[in-house]
Amino acid sequence: MNFEHHKLSDLKVIELKKKVLYFYNSLGETAFQQRHMLQNWKNFLGRTVNDNINLRLEVPVHSKQTDGFNCGIYIVMV
């Protein structure tokens, strides 16, 4: 795990039947993170589940943390 980039503040939920990747980041999701996350998961699922998976990303409205150390509790709250 790479703690320097706040990976513990991320939560990903994939619903394969709906072809949706839900992305939560208690620090907030940047456009770059969203594109990067979606592409990485498409690549992985394409190799392991289905070559032509058309996954889409959704970032539901959720609470955000205001400090740099309480990410775990925010992920539990989602």
Side-chain angles (χ1 to χ4, degrees), residues 13-73:
V13 178
I14 298 175
E15 287 192 58
L16 282 178
K17 288 183 181 180
K18 292 183 177 182
K19 298 181 181 178
V20 178
L21 167 62
Y22 298 98
F23 179 39
Y24 303 85
N25 185 323
S26 64
L27 295 172
E29 304 83 4
T30 66
F32 172 79
Q33 287 174 319
Q34 292 178 37
R35 286 189 309 272
H36 187 68
M37 183 72 52
L38 182 60
Q39 191 57 53
N40 284 346
W41 277 100
K42 280 183 176 181
N43 291 343
F44 173 74
L45 292 172
R47 288 190 312 269
T48 59
V49 177
N50 181 345
D51 286 336
N52 297 318
I53 192 155
N54 189 19
L55 196 65
R56 74 178 193 281
L57 180 74
E58 289 190 19
V59 181
V61 175
H62 60 88
S63 60
K64 306 283 192 302
Q65 72 185 80
T66 57
D67 57 35
F69 53 87
N70 281 315
C71 53
I73 196 66

Side-chain angles (χ1 to χ4, degrees), residues 6-12 23-26 33 37 75:
H6 304 285
K7 294 298 181 192
L8 293 178
S9 63
D10 291 355
L11 174 66
K12 298 98 178 168
F23 179 39
Y24 303 85
N25 185 323
S26 64
Q33 287 174 319
M37 183 72 52
I75 294 302

